DNA sequence: GACCACAGTATGGTCTGACCATATCGAGTC
DNA sequence: GACTCGATATGGTCAGACCATACTGTGGTC
């Protein structure tokens, strides 16, 4: 009687999630469809309404459903497609927990943005969103305002790549580090250099030059985050020495906090 | 009396999440720390235990806490750092909902993997995990087995880049398309070509040649997913014509999956 | 003293039933 | 036709109970 695998206890709400996922993947359900009400779902799946609600919270967190109170066609739980919100929350929390560092996030942003810019330059993409964002940045009065339209500019680049996953990642990366971006702009004081970069990026994409677009993006991020890109980015990421462990090994014995 | 912004109703569990996030970001809590019990938290925050539980489900989904029943040091809700699990669920659901296509996911994987391989080649990374995975792939009897160690190989490349966010993304991308990867291997029949690619990738990284590593990765993915990379990847992503819309506009009219 | 059996207890997991807030629907009225 | 107002269906919240689990401490046994 040994060697038995400790069967992972399945919780009721996990069953509910699995059943809903079955319906989505198996047949039928797609974005815009409504799920049964919580009470009805509870009765159908023979669980309590509490368990159904916990399942709904999970699905809502994943950006898969959206719940509306009241009555009518829009009420209830509706299948949606909002991957970016979940990613943003995830990044924000894990930045706070220091299970991700700002360096890693900015570094990932450089990867995504270089790739997006090169991809956008490779095919004739609609760049009107870029131009709009540039104009709005010119008229921005505060750092918050500037960063808002700056984010729109960079997200537009990712969207111009044509890959929605990449675009969602870009949006989340920007949203999760919003306050750091505002600090960076305030620290720089003058946004003239950033705007010069922006126009160079736009021109490179418009003229269909992928490598030039990629280079312009790198120049831009180096200017915005000089502290993070002290060393050449192509010769090693920040803190590459003690990494490479599985994510589950992070435990309290090896945490080193900066505060007192 | 017009122009009022419809104040977004705050739900009780959202308050709970916000309070916990405050504690994390503000001061104190890091990975390994325990949160108060659900009953205690409910009393402290003046909400019902149900609301606390819904908040816990959200945090658990984001990979921020892990709940254990029973008693003792490990019981209760403990702060963790598991970003990959949340990403995997997110990708799986949104693939099912067709708010993301397999093409986009594979495309993102190419981006991440080329970047990781180049980065790993740029600095002397520990490649023993790569060698282990290669050996295990040689001994694999089934497609499932092969894909498992193949995933380990490619995740190890991402981990060798030193960026935990990138590594988490790689792991999630692979886990979420696991069944497609198995299908691809079964369709290929012979894994000899894939293994040749693997050794070339490893050699390029070991010899510190970033561009060669990047090229080897592209060759590999083109072999594994010939249908997806019909056109040269540098000249435009799949389905780039009708994209670039906001994520919320994704509707069912434009989904096109690759499998049968 | 070392070991073991068992009651105690704190934890999350689940269920029930109730009530509230909101938004639509629909019958009735002007 | 336009308006009023109750009926109703929905999610949101709460209180209280019970269960399963797993550690803790106590006391007995050897």
């Amino acid at each position: 009687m040994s060697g038995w695998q400790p069967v992972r206890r399945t919780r009721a709400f996990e069953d509910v999630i699995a059943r809903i996922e079955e319906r989505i993947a198996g047949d039928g359900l797609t974005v815009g469809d409504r799920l049964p009400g919580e009470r009805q779902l509870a009765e159908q799946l023979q669980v309590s309404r509490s368990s159904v609600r916990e399942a709904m919270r999970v699905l809502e967190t994943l950006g898969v459903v959206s719940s509306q109170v009241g009555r009518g066609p829009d009420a209830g739980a509706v299948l949606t497609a909002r991957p970016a919100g979940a990613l943003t929350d995830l990044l924000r929390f894990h930045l706070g927990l220091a299970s991700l560092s700002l360096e890693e996030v900015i570094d990932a942003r450089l990867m995504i943005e270089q790739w997006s810019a090169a991809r956008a330059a490779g095919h004739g993409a609609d760049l009107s969103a870029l131009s709009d964002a540039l104009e709005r940045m010119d008229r921005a009065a505060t750092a918050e305002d500037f960063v808002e339209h700056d984010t729109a500019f960079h997200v537009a680049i990712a969207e111009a790549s044509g890959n929605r996953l990449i675009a969602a990642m870009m949006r989340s990366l920007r949203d999760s580090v919003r306050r750091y971006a505002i600090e960076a702009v305030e620290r720089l004081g003058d946004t003239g250099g950033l705007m010069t970069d922006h126009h160079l990026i736009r021109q490179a994409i418009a003229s269909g030059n992928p490598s030039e677009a990629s280079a312009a993006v790198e120049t831009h991020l180096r200017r915005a985050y000089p502290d993070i890109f002290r060393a050449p980015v192509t010769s090693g990421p920040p803190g590459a020495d003690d990494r490479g462990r599985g994510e589950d090994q992070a435990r309290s014995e090896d945490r080193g906090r900066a505060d007192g």
Side-chain angles (χ1 to χ4, degrees), chain A:
Chain A
M1 281 293 184
S2 72
W4 280 35
Q5 201 64 18
V7 183
R8 203 175 85 76
R9 175 180 39 101
T10 51
R11 297 176 282 187
F13 77 90
E14 292 174 326
D15 276 343
V16 176
I17 295 174
R19 297 288 287 272
I20 293 176
E21 186 174 8
E22 279 173 22
R23 284 214 217 174
I24 292 175
D27 53 58
L29 301 193
T30 173
V31 173
D33 290 347
R34 278 180 59 182
L35 293 179
E38 295 179 354
R39 294 166 179 84
Q40 191 179 340
L41 215 43
E43 191 185 13
Q44 285 179 12
L45 304 181
Q46 288 291 294
V47 296
S48 72
R49 199 181 150 208
S50 325
S51 297
V52 171
R53 282 185 62 77
E54 294 188 17
M56 290 316 220
R57 290 294 84 77
V58 172
L59 294 176
E60 205 174 291
T61 303
L62 291 173
V64 168
V65 309
S66 167
S67 294
Q68 296 294 327
V69 295
R71 195 180 155 165
D74 286 348
V78 181
L79 286 174
T80 56
R82 309 172 146 272
L87 267 176
T88 301
D89 290 341
L90 185 138
L91 291 173
R92 210 180 56 241
F93 271 99
H94 287 280
L95 269 172
L97 284 169
S99 71
L100 293 176
S101 71
L102 188 57
E103 282 87 346
E104 287 165 311
V105 172
I106 303 291
D107 202 31
R109 181 189 155 188
L110 176 62
M111 169 185 75
I112 291 177
E113 195 145 355
Q114 286 191 297
W115 182 92
S116 297
R119 194 52 84 80
H123 64 276
D126 179 16
L127 302 185
S128 56
L130 297 186
S131 305
D132 286 355
L134 287 176
E135 284 177 23
R136 290 196 171 88
M137 269 186 273
D138 275 333
R139 292 197 301 268
T142 65
E144 281 87 349
D145 225 25
F146 182 87
V147 166
E148 183 186 338
H149 299 118
D150 179 66
T151 298
F153 177 82
H154 292 282
V155 169
I157 293 176
E159 282 176 346
S161 77
N163 187 315
R164 290 170 295 182
L165 174 55
I166 301 290
M169 286 178 178
M170 188 70 222
R171 187 187 301 278
S172 303
L173 288 174
R174 286 301 306 245
D175 286 346
S176 60
V177 300
R178 181 170 174 275
R179 50 174 270 234
Y180 302 102
I182 293 174
E183 284 174 13
V185 168
E186 286 172 342
R187 197 165 45 236
L188 274 176
D190 178 30
T191 56
L194 298 178
M195 289 306 291
T196 304
D197 294 344
H198 286 154
H199 282 97
L200 286 176
I201 294 172
R202 192 195 168 285
Q203 281 172 17
I205 296 176
S207 62
N209 191 331
S211 60
E212 192 180 315
S214 177
V217 166
E218 180 168 349
T219 302
H220 181 52
L221 262 76
R222 282 177 175 280
R223 186 195 304 276
Y225 298 99
D227 295 343
I228 289 180
F229 295 121
R230 266 186 231 105
V233 287
T234 48
S235 74
D241 2 353
D242 60 339
R243 299 283 164 66
R245 308 168 302 179
E247 59 164 342
D248 300 339
Q249 276 73 49
R251 278 290 174 267
S252 52
E253 74 252 16
D254 61 359
R255 56 185 159 138
R257 289 248 294 297
D259 57 354

